[in-house]
Amino acid sequence: MLRRPIIAALVCFTLLGQIPQVPTFQTQTNLVIVNVTVRDKSGKVIDNLKKEDFTLLEDDRPQNISVFEIEHLNSNALPPVVPPNSRQQPQILPAPSDAARETASDAAVSRRDRRLLVLYFDFSAMQPPEQIRTQQAALKFLNQQMTASDLVEILTYSNRLRVLQDFTDNRDLLMSEIQGFRIGEASENAVDGATGPDDTDDSGAFTPDETEFNIFNTDMKLIGLEDAVKKLAIYPEKKALIYFSSGISRTGVDNESQLRATVNAAVRSNVAFYPVDARGLVAMPPGGDASTASASGTGIFTGKTQQGLRDKFNTSQETLSTLAADTGGKALLDSNDLTMGITQAQHDINTYYILGYYSTNSALDGKYRRIKVRLKSDLEAKLDYRNGYFAGKVFQKFTASDKERQLEEALTLGDPFTQLPLAVETDYFRTARDKYFVPITVRIAGSALDLSKKSSTDLDFIGEIRDPAGRVIGGVRDEITLKFNEQNAAQLSRRQIEYDSGVTLPPGNYKLKVLARENQNGKMGTFEMKFVVPDLSKQTAAVRMSSVVWSNQREPLSASVGSAGTNKKLLDAHPLVDNGQKLIPNITRVFRKDQRLYVYFEVYDPGAEATPSVSAELTVFRGKSKPFESAPVRVTKPKSGKPNTLAFEFQMPLTNIPPGQYTCQVSVIDEQARKFGYSRSPLVLLQ
């Protein structure tokens, strides 16, 4: 969708010598491009239709078709550069020069009757063998299956998006770029980051795992894809992005808004995803292959371990399938011939019509607009086109009431905002048998805020909680003012801005959606996540514990940027507030050596309620070693005002622990009730 501002000026001069008035009228029109493939009953493409044969509607309102073109595409493969059955060594092409790249780019400017294919290699999601497999598949396609109609672009992602070659039909240049891949690049980021204990281990023993925390999470991979499709938005033709990866795992703490934002950006840019699972057809031996540690417990004999591995594998493919289904592409899974993913895109992008219209609805409200395309004639045919798009959205220059209305509407939009990166954490603490207080902590990087123009900026927060039936059962709404000056603006830009609130909920499964807006420049961010409030009353075998809060900061309520401290009722219920001090959860689990580690949790219904006695200890693991192990802490006095609740808090300096990745574990023993419980969390320590 392209916006074309049109400015018309009307100048009126009076004959009486008055000062001339120059009124200026400004409007915006939105050009919407729709690609339509028309097939008859037998599936053959119909390519002889005219502009007058089509009727186009947006939200059931007729639109005037201003752009009409037809793309005729060739499906015959070019002769191979290297004979496919040659027994000689594969041809090693020289690295392309800058002049060759410029010549290829100039030749690719004309996209008339061309098929646009993007080969996107996500090195951060593939191990070296899989990187080699995708490299060979791409070379095979370029050598044996590329057609005269194909224009190919090569993108790679390791820790940032790189354009190795713009659209071109120069096969030698494309093959040279792919042969120049640095195999193994960013493969260390392809390991999954665990966010909790292994649920297939029923032995009760701790199995250290150095890869439990993966700082390059799902969001970064999806952001790379979003940046790629935004770059492709300048081309009105159909585009197919073939995404090579080894799946995208969902860790359970990912931002679901980022997945939707990536899909919506692809729909707006007329890009269809064709994910290719570079692992191919995988046979999973019981207990895992040689790349994983031996399984503990009896799960390997009961099938629980094998089922867990299969579920994890299927989950990594689920996101690939979602990207394909929601953008009109197809995912290639469980196949060793990876070129099938590219040729599928070739077959799908056949001869098609380009229809363009200027929408009569000029509102930039971010809402979804439905598109319908019909044939005026009695011809029976099947039309393939995108069903709609999200309109642009502008939230600046509104009155106070307009801003409030737009903020509430933005919360319900299907197209989320990602200009303001957010991180959100929820915890749970029991307040009654069937009620739990759920603190909600939101963090924004200070570097994402505009701290250069004024001495303060306002931040709006709004959120809602829905149950599995989709009903809204709770929410938060606040506005905070962040004050700064020239001296501390630079320091503030390196900090994390935190907002916290909380709600009271019964046990159950919930979905949280939080929206934040910086009112100085209108940046907005959305975070969505699912969370569970367990029913601890049903736990009989283990110690009943709250969430474990891991923190590196305790500060006075008066120093908070935005907090629940202004709400007296909420303050009394907040378990992380004590004596005017607030414990700040560390959402990212990244610490520095000059900080202290604070750990807080609660234990409910100890074995002897009259004279309880429960002990706990904190242990830090790195591989098989224990850099730190605290002495047992015994609590015998209930928390003030809560007779069946014991509160535990640990403090640990991080000065003497070397930088690296660790796993922290809290172990709890109730000897009187003969119960045991524990909680683990990954931790990264920086210099």
Side-chain angles (χ1 to χ4, degrees):
M1 180 176 65
L2 306 177
R3 300 189 183 93
R4 297 181 178 179
I6 301 176
I7 302 178
L10 176 62
V11 182
C12 301
F13 298 94
T14 66
L15 298 177
L16 299 177
Q18 296 178 357
I19 299 175
Q21 302 295 322
V22 187
T24 300
F25 304 93
Q26 182 172 350
T27 182
Q28 285 188 332
T29 57
N30 297 327
L31 176 63
V32 182
I33 298 295
V34 183
N35 302 132
V36 184
T37 302
V38 185
R39 302 178 186 272
D40 59 18
K41 290 183 178 180
S42 63
K44 183 180 179 181
V45 175
I46 301 175
D47 59 358
N48 58 354
L49 299 177
K50 300 179 180 179
K51 172 183 174 180
E52 294 75 19
D53 296 325
F54 291 91
T55 300
L56 196 151
L57 302 95
E58 179 183 287
D59 290 337
D60 296 326
R61 295 181 179 179
Q63 305 292 322
N64 182 36
I65 299 176
S66 303
V67 178
F68 181 84
E69 294 181 8
I70 181 170
E71 295 284 325
H72 294 278
L73 302 179
N74 191 336
S75 299
N76 297 323
L78 296 168
V81 177
V82 181
N85 297 323
S86 174
R87 295 185 178 180
Q88 301 177 358
Q89 293 293 327
Q91 181 182 11
I92 305 299
L93 300 173
S97 63
D98 292 338
R101 289 192 179 95
E102 292 177 2
T103 302
S105 298
D106 291 341
V109 169
S110 176
R111 301 183 305 277
R112 179 74 178 179
D113 296 333
R114 291 302 188 101
R115 182 186 294 109
L116 304 185
L117 302 175
V118 181
L119 304 184
Y120 184 109
F121 299 85
D122 189 349
F123 292 140
S124 71
M126 294 187 289
Q127 297 289 357
E130 295 146 7
Q131 295 181 8
I132 294 174
R133 196 175 297 124
T134 58
Q135 181 189 45
Q136 294 173 345
L139 291 173
K140 177 183 176 182
F141 166 77
L142 295 173
N143 185 44
Q144 303 177 28
Q145 297 164 320
M146 186 173 172
T147 71
S149 293
D150 294 339
L151 289 178
V152 179
E153 181 176 71
I154 301 175
L155 304 179
T156 62
Y157 182 83
S158 51
N159 58 356
R160 63 182 178 88
L161 180 68
R162 291 190 297 172
V163 181
L164 295 189
Q165 178 57 54
D166 256 324
F167 285 111
T168 182
D169 56 2
N170 187 328
R171 290 193 291 171
D172 289 342
L173 185 61
L174 293 167
M175 293 174 68
S176 178
E177 290 286 3
I178 292 177
Q179 286 177 342
F181 284 171
R182 293 179 294 178
I183 300 301
E185 180 181 4
S187 61
E188 66 275 7
N189 301 329
V191 294
D192 293 333
T195 58
D198 183 5
D199 58 4
T200 66
D201 181 6
D202 56 2
S203 65
F206 172 70
T207 303
D209 182 0
E210 292 187 356
T211 64
E212 286 188 356
F213 183 80
N214 183 5
I215 195 168
F216 296 94
N217 59 10
T218 301
D219 279 7
M220 297 190 66
K221 296 177 174 60
L222 294 174
I223 289 172
L225 283 173
E226 184 180 1
D227 291 341
V229 298
K230 287 181 177 178
K231 171 190 174 296
L232 298 170
I234 61 175
Y235 306 114
E237 296 85 2
K238 274 187 176 182
K239 283 88 61 178
L241 189 148
I242 296 88
Y243 175 56
F244 293 102
S245 79
S246 296
I248 301 180
S249 299
R250 306 303 303 273
T251 63
V253 294
D254 307 288
N255 187 356
E256 295 183 8
S257 291
Q258 184 57 57
L259 176 60
R260 188 177 296 115
T262 302
V263 169
N264 292 343
V267 171
R268 282 194 298 269
S269 303
N270 202 16
V271 177
F273 286 126
Y274 288 80
V276 177
D277 190 342
R279 294 169 292 188
L281 185 60
V282 177
M284 291 187 178
D289 56 22
S291 65
T292 60
S294 300
S296 302
T298 60
I300 193 173
F301 305 107
T302 62
K304 187 176 181 180
T305 298
Q306 180 69 4
Q307 184 62 45
L309 293 173
R310 171 53 60 182
D311 291 343
K312 184 178 181 181
F313 185 87
N314 292 339
T315 300
S316 68
Q317 290 185 336
E318 181 182 357
T319 306
L320 300 182
S321 299
T322 301
L323 289 171
D326 291 352
T327 59
K330 294 181 178 65
L332 180 70
L333 310 175
D334 304 325
S335 175
N336 290 330
D337 186 2
L338 304 186
T339 59
M340 292 176 60
I342 315 177
T343 56
Q344 180 66 61
Q346 271 185 322
H347 297 155
D348 288 352
I349 302 181
N350 214 314
T351 297
Y352 64 95
Y353 299 88
I354 299 179
L355 307 182
Y357 69 95
Y358 292 97
S359 175
T360 57
N361 186 353
S362 60
L364 299 179
D365 52 12
K367 294 183 178 180
Y368 189 74
R369 312 269 178 85
R370 298 191 180 278
I371 296 174
K372 293 181 182 179
V373 181
R374 299 170 182 168
L375 293 179
K376 294 181 180 179
S377 64
D378 297 331
L379 178 66
E380 293 186 12
K382 179 182 178 182
L383 280 65
D384 182 19
Y385 58 92
R386 61 169 171 157
N387 295 322
Y389 69 100
F390 285 94
K393 50 202 175 190
V394 176
F395 286 85
Q396 294 97 333
K397 299 181 181 180
F398 286 111
T399 64
S401 59
D402 288 337
K403 287 184 177 180
E404 184 66 22
R405 175 179 53 83
Q406 293 288 348
L407 192 64
E408 293 177 355
E409 289 182 355
L411 190 66
T412 62
L413 289 179
D415 186 21
F417 298 83
T418 56
Q419 303 98 334
L420 198 61
L422 305 181
V424 178
E425 176 179 316
T426 61
D427 299 295
Y428 58 88
F429 296 88
R430 198 182 75 178
T431 57
R433 291 287 180 180
D434 59 345
K435 292 183 180 180
Y436 293 77
F437 180 76
V438 178
I440 301 173
T441 306
V442 182
R443 281 202 171 188
I444 304 173
S447 57
L449 304 178
D450 186 0
L451 307 177
S452 60
K453 297 180 181 180
K454 298 181 179 180
S455 59
S456 66
T457 184
D458 294 329
L459 296 171
D460 278 313
F461 295 90
I462 186 171
E464 64 180 17
I465 299 173
R466 295 180 180 267
D467 62 10
R471 296 185 298 264
V472 177
I473 61 171
V476 295
R477 178 67 177 93
D478 269 309
E479 178 181 356
I480 64 173
T481 300
L482 178 64
K483 296 183 178 181
F484 53 90
N485 51 44
E486 294 182 359
Q487 288 72 28
N488 63 7
Q491 181 182 2
L492 190 62
S493 66
R494 295 190 294 269
R495 290 183 54 190
Q496 299 287 330
I497 309 303
E498 181 230 343
Y499 161 79
D500 68 278
S501 185
V503 294
T504 300
L505 297 172
N509 299 320
Y510 301 98
K511 185 172 184 178
L512 169 67
K513 184 174 183 179
V514 176
L515 179 73
R517 179 181 67 194
E518 182 191 5
N519 290 325
Q520 183 152 309
N521 56 18
K523 281 186 177 180
M524 303 183 72
T526 313
F527 194 100
E528 294 179 76
M529 65 179 296
K530 295 179 180 179
F531 67 96
V532 179
V533 178
D535 189 352
L536 297 180
S537 63
K538 295 182 179 180
Q539 294 185 9
T540 58
V543 173
R544 298 172 180 173
M545 297 174 55
S546 69
S547 296
V548 177
V549 175
W550 309 86
S551 172
N552 62 340
Q553 184 179 2
R554 180 183 288 279
E555 64 178 19
L557 286 174
S558 57
S560 301
V561 174
S563 72
T566 57
N567 188 323
K568 183 64 170 62
K569 183 177 180 181
L570 194 61
L571 177 62
D572 294 338
H574 207 303
L576 304 182
V577 176
D578 184 34
N579 294 326
Q581 297 281 321
K582 182 179 63 174
L583 192 65
I584 312 298
N586 186 309
I587 300 176
T588 60
R589 304 292 193 267
V590 178
F591 297 79
R592 298 195 312 269
K593 286 175 61 66
D594 59 348
Q595 296 174 333
R596 299 179 69 87
L597 172 64
Y598 298 92
V599 183
Y600 178 84
F601 62 94
E602 296 177 353
V603 172
Y604 308 108
D605 304 329
E609 297 182 359
T611 57
S613 179
V614 179
S615 62
E617 61 180 21
L618 172 66
T619 309
V620 178
F621 293 91
R622 187 176 189 181
K624 296 181 179 180
S625 64
K626 296 182 181 179
F628 179 85
E629 184 174 16
S630 72
V633 174
R634 186 175 299 275
V635 176
T636 58
K637 184 179 179 181
K639 188 175 181 179
S640 177
K642 297 182 178 180
N644 297 329
T645 301
L646 304 180
F648 287 83
E649 182 173 351
F650 290 88
Q651 295 186 30
M652 183 186 77
L654 300 174
T655 306
N656 298 324
I657 298 181
Q661 298 182 6
Y662 297 89
T663 299
C664 297
Q665 175 172 311
V666 171
S667 303
V668 183
I669 300 177
D670 186 345
E671 297 179 354
Q672 296 173 336
R674 297 188 177 183
K675 293 181 180 180
F676 172 77
Y678 69 94
S679 178
R680 301 180 185 137
S681 177
L683 181 147
V684 170
L685 185 61
L686 304 179
Q687 184 65 42

